[in-house]
Amino acid sequence: MEGKTREEVEKSGMIDTWLRKHRLIYTGATRHPLILSIRDGTVDLSAYKRWLGQDYIFVRAFVPFVAIVLIKAWKESDDAADMEVMLSGMASLNDEIAWFKSEAPKWGVQLSDIVPQKANQEYCRFLESLMSPDVEYTVAITAFWAIEAVYQTSFAVCLEDGSKTPAELRETCQRWGNDGFGQYCNSLKKIANRRLEKASDDVLTAAEVALLRVLEHEVDFWNMSRSDA
Ligand code: HMH
């Protein structure tokens, strides 16, 4: 542990420490009943369609958030490689938007007609709050990691051995559940952990709260997709 102060050692692997501490809500977000219903093949396809339309709106709102985190990385980061990770995130969002546009017509979903539901509006508003210049890079990158990691972990569940994911949904699950996306999430996690090691107590608290807010919004988003309400 040469070169690291005692505090830095204590704070290393902060993300995993927080995930253990907030296990219940993390599991709620990553093994939601909607995800489990995809995995066991009982998914209600109207819920999938609702999710598809709503997530297109979310992903569009996620682009400027990632752009701002990229700018924060460029201005504030101690490691020039961070910006390249964000750039690859932007590239995958570009692919995602194209994918939504080709996926939606297959399900009779008209993307131009989608009205954002309350949980989606609230999640997008939360993203906007994180785009404020007062939000530290460390806090924003922690939220960014969490947003991507929830999808990666959730959809990977649908690809596990023995899963009965319907053939027409496998590509969707592959999109976020594939190993490449997993490696990208790991790169984000490494950046977040590295920043959290050096963070003040105030920044640590703000980052932990941001992580919890992401998990809550993700649970609400799945719930919204599952019900007509
Ligand atoms: C709601 N969370 C939601 N949608 C997404 N597409 C992601 C996370 C990951 O990109």
Side-chain angles (χ1 to χ4, degrees):
M1 287 295 163
E2 269 172 80
K4 285 190 178 180
T5 64
R6 188 180 54 81
E7 287 83 357
E8 281 175 4
V9 172
E10 279 174 5
K11 283 188 228 164
S12 74
M14 208 61 223
I15 296 275
D16 284 331
T17 303
W18 286 340
L19 293 185
R20 280 192 295 273
K21 181 173 167 193
H22 305 297
R23 186 97 234 143
L24 268 177
I25 176 93
Y26 180 67
T27 306
T30 55
R31 303 185 76 88
H32 186 274
L34 179 56
I35 281 297
L36 298 181
S37 76
I38 294 175
R39 189 195 55 173
D40 69 20
T42 62
V43 58
D44 172 2
L45 290 174
S46 70
Y48 175 74
K49 288 196 243 178
R50 210 172 300 120
W51 167 82
L52 188 69
Q54 293 295 319
D55 210 50
Y56 172 71
I57 307 229
F58 177 83
V59 166
R60 293 189 70 91
F62 193 44
V63 173
F65 168 76
V66 176
I68 287 210
V69 186
L70 186 149
I71 292 169
K72 285 190 206 282
W74 169 66
K75 282 195 189 157
E76 296 176 43
S77 182
D78 46 314
D79 188 337
D82 289 8
M83 199 179 78
E84 289 156 37
V85 177
M86 328 271 146
L87 185 60
S88 75
M90 295 289 280
S92 59
L93 288 173
N94 186 38
D95 284 351
E96 276 174 36
I97 286 180
W99 176 81
F100 278 102
K101 287 182 179 167
S102 68
E103 180 75 358
K106 297 184 192 166
W107 297 90
V109 172
Q110 184 71 43
L111 293 175
S112 56
D113 291 349
I114 305 293
V115 178
Q117 298 297 298
K118 184 164 166 281
N120 199 359
Q121 285 171 1
E122 285 173 357
Y123 202 175
C124 292
R125 221 176 294 133
F126 170 72
L127 285 184
E128 268 185 57
S129 74
L130 290 174
M131 286 157 67
S132 150
D134 312 333
V135 174
E136 299 267 347
Y137 173 52
T138 306
V139 175
I141 186 78
T142 302
F144 184 6
W145 166 79
I147 293 166
E148 297 289 44
V150 166
Y151 262 41
Q152 204 282 324
T153 311
S154 297
F155 285 110
V157 166
C158 304
L159 300 171
E160 283 169 358
D161 283 346
S163 60
K164 301 190 186 77
T165 298
E168 64 271 36
L169 301 188
R170 286 198 77 84
E171 190 196 308
T172 307
C173 300
Q174 282 289 350
R175 171 154 288 284
W176 287 279
N178 76 75
D179 291 341
F181 199 79
Q183 277 156 24
Y184 157 66
C185 290
N186 250 333
S187 304
L188 291 173
K189 184 178 180 182
K190 275 198 195 131
I191 298 171
N193 272 328
R194 190 194 78 229
R195 297 288 307 192
L196 290 164
E197 265 182 44
K198 312 242 181 226
S200 68
D201 285 349
D202 283 354
V203 170
L204 276 180
T205 303
E208 186 177 6
V209 170
L211 165 63
L212 280 173
R213 289 291 99 82
V214 167
L215 297 176
E216 287 164 4
H217 282 298
E218 289 289 341
V219 171
D220 290 347
F221 202 94
W222 292 130
N223 285 340
M224 165 195 74
S225 303
R226 215 162 58 118
S227 69
D228 309 271

